[in-house]
Amino acid sequence: MRPMRLLPAAAAILLAACGSTPVPEVRYYSLPPATAIEAAAEPVLALPIRVEILSADGPHAEQGVLYANTEGGPVRTYHYQLWNDTPGALLQKRLIARLRAANYSTVVASRLPGQVGAFHITGDVQAFERVRDADGNWRVEIRLELRADVGESELPVVLETYAASVPADSDSMQATVRAFAAGVDDIFARFLADLAQQGA
């Protein structure tokens, strides 16, 4: 019977050990500010610009940072590493800021009165994840479909899928976030160049 008396004490020790396991800290990330953008002397486009939140499906519509531990492997979600907004909203705000900084129009906004003729920019997040390559290094993979329509035109004036693959300079999440920013800014620069052709 003596060993039986030890069971409550052993259970208490196990419970104490479980209770001491620290809960991971939730961390929220935002894209760092873009590098300085040279503004055009005059607005590039004559019409206002409306930018919608980019659409996304499945995990790309959520705040968790996505990752794949192997090339072509399954995409998973970090539970404690989150964006401070959904990728679609982050990208909308960054594109608006870039269009304003580059002086693409006198008005660049997320909403405009329905009767106002404007460039209407929409998009779809097709890839936005952290990927570990065969050498164990991290990079980011981004693929966005971006579209620009004008007024009531039936066909878009720009409709392209833009991709970027950017290596992170270390294994840290902060390095990955910087790589995301670099990739997004590269894509937006190419999209803005295509959009500028509509004002030529």
Side-chain angles (χ1 to χ4, degrees):
M1 298 299 292
R2 189 178 183 86
M4 295 297 289
R5 296 173 187 168
L6 297 178
L7 288 177
I13 292 171
L14 287 174
L15 287 173
C18 292
S20 65
T21 302
V23 176
E25 179 184 4
V26 178
R27 297 186 179 183
Y28 294 90
Y29 297 93
S30 59
L31 297 175
T35 55
I37 299 167
E38 184 176 352
E42 299 290 336
V44 176
L45 303 174
L47 294 175
I49 302 172
R50 182 171 86 251
V51 183
E52 301 282 353
I53 293 175
L54 274 64
S55 63
D57 295 324
H60 289 104
E62 300 172 2
Q63 284 182 249
V65 178
L66 303 181
Y67 71 100
N69 274 322
T70 58
E71 296 274 2
V75 174
R76 298 181 171 90
T77 304
Y78 289 111
H79 296 294
Y80 301 100
Q81 311 279 0
L82 308 175
W83 295 111
N84 66 352
D85 209 333
T86 62
L90 287 176
L91 295 171
Q92 176 206 31
K93 293 170 186 173
R94 196 171 185 86
L95 183 53
I96 288 174
R98 190 176 186 95
L99 287 162
R100 288 174 177 171
N103 193 22
Y104 260 62
S105 173
T106 55
V107 178
V108 181
S110 60
R111 287 180 292 178
L112 292 170
Q115 69 273 18
V116 172
F119 281 88
H120 182 204
I121 296 175
T122 56
D124 182 55
V125 182
Q126 298 178 347
F128 201 73
E129 51 253 13
R130 184 187 202 215
V131 179
R132 191 190 294 274
D133 64 24
D135 296 326
N137 300 313
W138 290 102
R139 71 174 191 278
V140 301
E141 292 292 336
I142 305 168
R143 189 170 65 256
L144 309 176
E145 181 183 270
L146 297 174
R147 172 177 177 146
D149 295 272
V150 180
E152 300 301 320
S153 175
E154 293 184 3
L155 296 176
V157 294
V158 178
L159 178 58
E160 294 288 344
T161 299
Y162 303 86
S165 179
V166 182
D169 56 25
S170 77
D171 289 342
S172 72
M173 186 60 72
Q174 289 80 2
T176 291
V177 170
R178 291 194 297 270
F180 271 115
V184 168
D185 289 344
D186 173 65
I187 286 173
F188 284 171
R190 285 181 273 149
F191 173 67
L192 264 62
D194 291 339
L195 190 61
Q197 298 301 313
Q198 306 309 312

